[in-house]
Amino acid sequence: MARLLDERKLAVLRAVVEDFVSTNEPVGSRALADRHQLGVSPATIRNDMVALEEDGYIAQPHTSAGRVPTDKGYRLFVDRLSSLKPLSLAERRAIESFLGGAVDLDEIVARTVRLLAQLTSQVAIVQYPSLTRSSVQHVELVPLGDRRIMMVVITNTGRVEQCVIDGLEDVDETAVGDLRNKLNRAIAGCYLSDVSEVVDDLPAQMPPEHRMLAVSVLSVLLESLVERHEEKIVLAGTANLAAVDFAASLREVLEALEENMVLIRLLGEVKDPSMLTVSIGQENFHEGLRSTSVVSADYGVGNQSLAKIGVVGPTRMDYPGTMGAVRAVARYVGQILAGQ
């Protein structure tokens, strides 16, 4: 069983992580003594590094005297962080200006993912607000001829979902208008997960000759929009991986990032707007991502979490800076959504 580390050994581990992240070179005791005010001799630092290696927090990759952090070492470093690196005033103003210029949800998401990739130099991932956590703001039905209707559903989170319903019987504009009004009265403000119960008796409220129209429209609404489980994910910054030494694993990392469901599971479940999660190396469920770390956070309006935002990068990442950037951007996105 690993020993509990005293504060001096934690300071040595912290210095090893910081130097390795900065230089990408194995770290020796003499270098730590020269670069950090640890208050002890190189010999004491060397003994502490031996103890850290025995407990699995650092490892010796080659025959040189230098050591590098292990996944276990990074985990302890992250768990014992006393503070995150704050964004500079210039960075905060840039975020406010860049995100504040977005006019709709699609642009908010597009700007957010680009901004986060630039701030962290990692691969940024943004999940659209979950449909299962959204409520209906408005439903629009637009006749497109004798047998077609376009249905547009707008949610309280700014998502706009639309589809065309084909193969209808005679599309009467008066009937479509009547159905639109009844539908909005019934489900405006209703969570999408509750829509099926609310509209169950709606066809019976229509004149007999228009009930099949109502059944067809409601069927598409429930099957295409309400009962769909796959969520939308956007990512940016994959070119940043080219600057990282993933060696043989780069192909596996890129293949994993191409799978939408992998990304959704990677970000984790939406739980709490204040939550910041870090998954390191072997902690990642996907084998292709075992050489990466994932930093993610919830974003939402008030106390309601709507979706996730995060970055994927090498385990050798600037954790305080990356975690600070993810948390800050998540908060800005929540503020913008709240103000829409």
Side-chain angles (χ1 to χ4, degrees):
M1 183 175 177
R3 295 182 292 268
L4 291 175
L5 298 188
D6 57 36
E7 286 304 316
R8 193 185 69 208
K9 291 186 180 66
L10 282 171
V12 172
L13 174 62
R14 198 175 297 120
V16 171
V17 171
E18 291 172 355
D19 279 14
F20 182 63
V21 168
S22 175
T23 66
N24 197 23
E25 295 290 339
V27 182
S29 56
R30 175 63 66 180
L32 290 185
D34 292 342
R35 288 197 285 256
H36 299 269
Q37 301 298 319
L38 295 173
V40 293
S41 67
T44 300
I45 294 173
R46 188 158 49 249
N47 290 336
D48 287 344
M49 292 178 73
V50 170
L52 289 168
E53 185 173 9
E54 289 176 350
D55 285 343
Y57 294 107
I58 60 177
Q60 187 176 30
H62 308 295
T63 55
S64 68
R67 304 296 195 277
V68 301
T70 62
D71 289 354
K72 181 180 178 181
Y74 284 126
R75 168 50 59 196
L76 185 61
F77 173 81
V78 168
D79 288 346
R80 298 297 290 268
L81 275 178
S82 58
S83 63
L84 304 184
K85 188 182 298 181
L87 297 178
S88 68
L89 180 60
E91 287 174 326
R92 294 199 302 270
R93 285 177 174 170
I95 291 175
E96 292 174 356
S97 174
F98 189 61
L99 296 185
V103 297
D104 57 25
L105 181 64
D106 287 335
E107 192 171 1
I108 291 172
V109 171
R111 289 187 177 214
T112 298
V113 75
R114 283 161 44 204
L115 174 69
L116 193 56
Q118 292 170 1
L119 283 174
T120 63
S121 296
Q122 316 286 4
V123 179
I125 308 172
V126 178
Q127 181 184 26
Y128 270 73
S130 172
L131 283 173
T132 59
R133 290 171 173 262
S134 301
S135 60
V136 178
Q137 184 172 340
H138 182 74
V139 178
E140 186 60 51
L141 300 176
V142 182
L144 299 178
D146 293 338
R147 300 174 62 84
R148 304 170 75 217
I149 290 176
M150 175 184 287
M151 179 168 59
V152 182
V153 179
I154 303 172
T155 73
N156 67 318
T157 55
R159 286 190 67 158
V160 179
E161 301 290 329
Q162 65 181 45
C163 62
V164 174
I165 307 170
D166 292 305
L168 300 171
E169 296 299 326
D170 184 34
V171 176
D172 180 87
E173 290 197 16
T174 301
V176 171
D178 184 27
L179 178 59
R180 179 197 305 119
N181 293 335
K182 285 184 169 60
L183 191 55
N184 278 296
R185 280 198 297 270
I187 68 175
C190 181
Y191 279 105
L192 290 177
S193 56
D194 298 330
V195 166
S196 59
E197 296 180 12
V198 175
V199 301
D200 189 50
D201 64 344
L202 197 147
Q205 300 175 28
M206 299 289 289
E209 64 271 22
H210 296 149
R211 286 175 185 169
M212 281 308 299
L213 173 67
V215 169
S216 298
V217 169
L218 293 178
S219 175
V220 173
L221 173 68
L222 296 176
E223 292 177 9
S224 301
L225 301 177
V226 178
E227 296 177 359
R228 187 179 62 192
H229 298 295
E230 183 175 345
E231 300 292 351
K232 294 172 67 176
I233 292 277
V234 178
L235 71 157
T238 52
N240 289 328
L241 296 178
V244 180
D245 183 18
F246 277 113
S249 66
L250 178 57
R251 180 185 180 90
E252 286 76 13
V253 172
L254 292 172
E255 288 177 347
L257 293 177
E258 289 179 353
E259 299 182 34
N260 199 55
M261 292 311 297
V262 167
L263 298 180
I264 291 173
R265 187 176 171 191
L266 193 65
L267 290 177
E269 293 183 7
V270 175
K271 295 180 179 178
D272 185 339
S274 64
M275 286 287 291
L276 188 66
T277 305
V278 182
S279 179
I280 300 171
Q282 297 297 315
E283 296 171 358
N284 290 313
F285 73 95
H286 196 288
E287 187 174 351
L289 296 170
R290 299 284 169 81
S291 60
T292 71
S293 287
V294 182
V295 179
S296 63
D298 291 28
Y299 71 87
V301 177
N303 294 322
Q304 182 191 15
S305 291
L306 297 175
K308 303 282 283 192
I309 181 174
V311 299
V312 179
T315 54
R316 187 186 68 84
M317 71 163 59
D318 171 16
Y319 288 96
T322 300
M323 294 164 68
V326 170
R327 186 174 67 177
V329 173
R331 287 176 174 173
Y332 277 110
V333 174
Q335 291 170 9
I336 291 171
L337 290 177
Q340 280 198 318

